[in-house]
Amino acid sequence: MRTISWDEDCDCIEMVDQTKLPGEFTTYHAETVDELIESIQMLRVRGAPALGAAGAYGVALATRQHQLKQAESLLTAVKADAQRIASARPTAVNLERGVSEAFDEAQLGMTVGEVRETALSAAEDLADRDVERNKQIGDAGAKLLGDQDTVMTHCNAGALATVDWGTALGVVYSAREAGKEIDVVVNETRPLNQGSRISTVELMERDVPTTLIPDNASGLLMQEGEVDAVVVGADRVVLDGGDQFGDQGVVYNKVGTYKQAVLADRHDIPFVVAAPTSTVDANTSADRVTIEERDPVELREIYGSQNAPADVPVRNPAFDATPMELVDYLVTEDGAFEPPIELTDVVENRSRH
Ligand code: MRU
């Protein structure tokens, strides 16, 4: 089953409701743009590639929401919705890209019917491409792993973070399909526990030997020689590090990724980033990337119970920045690249046409 798809019965978006995991595997139907935006913000749908599909399907949804008779007035109304969807979360570039891709196609429609049709077929195309690319990423990344390796992963960059298959966990699934025995150590990934709530579920569903650890144990496991590779996904990869990182690229991923990269470097463990070229943002420098700050309640409370004084000042960044000097391989659908990475190797559309 796909993480996110178009449901023709309701003419709306169906998604796995990831806020209910691991207790329940249920789906949610976003019938309006507001419901989609809420779903993105509360992480019912999450993970950069899945957000790309959510953005594109969101444009298709918007084209159906307005009962207007002229293509031009429909597109004006959809444009405003598209902007709201694109800015629902700021860090994963895939969201704004998914929105633009579907909106650009919708603009080619000459009638209301054509606008609706082209937006939906662009979204379906993006979703299909995502699965195809993830399989290619998986195959390229699998070559970096040896039989009997133990992979550490952070957050969830699996099937549930994409339309299907996954990026970092896709590498694990492809390696196993190629006959390699791979175990996975999953970092819990505080504060929202995408590792313990989501990665463990999909790994165990696929019979992958899985061990959950608290985030703070990752250094110990590396020190004890229990980790052969760290494989993570990305929300945005920039190739221009801006004032802070200079001319080296930067990988933005779930907060805590940077710490895993530093530890992996210290222990000579390969640090692998698996991401489609749609996550590579060649037009932005690190100076212009916004790291999402989330609600302090996510730290002050744990599942509704008080975890800290209700008025303690909080910093709750959802992502962090890993400079490319700590990345051993960037795996895209075009193969595994070792830094320094040429812009032309990793920009989107290189393999699309
Ligand atoms: O806040 P989230 O759960 O959307 O964060 C997701 C991640 O950081 C993933 O690692 C990233 O999007 C890559 S998903 C293939």
Side-chain angles (χ1 to χ4, degrees), residues 83-101:
Q83 282 163 348
R84 286 195 306 127
I85 299 166
S87 54
R89 291 187 77 191
T91 310
V93 68
N94 303 63
L95 177 60
E96 61 194 64
R97 283 203 167 151
V99 167
S100 309
E101 203 168 306

Side-chain angles (χ1 to χ4, degrees), residues 18 40 43 45-51 89 92 94 130 134 153-162 166-169 189 192 194 197-198 232-236 252-255 257 274-276 279 292 294 318-319:
Q18 301 191 39
I40 292 171
L43 313 193
V45 59
R46 46 148 297 283
L51 289 175
R89 291 187 77 191
N94 303 63
D130 183 59
N134 294 337
T153 194
H154 192 71
C155 194
N156 171 262
L160 288 160
T162 62
T167 55
L169 295 188
T189 319
L192 295 182
Q194 287 91 334
R197 290 190 308 105
I198 303 172
V232 297
D235 286 86
R236 189 185 294 244
Y252 293 85
N253 192 48
K254 179 53 56 193
V255 69
T257 299
T279 300
E292 178 184 2
R294 292 190 58 86
F319 302 97

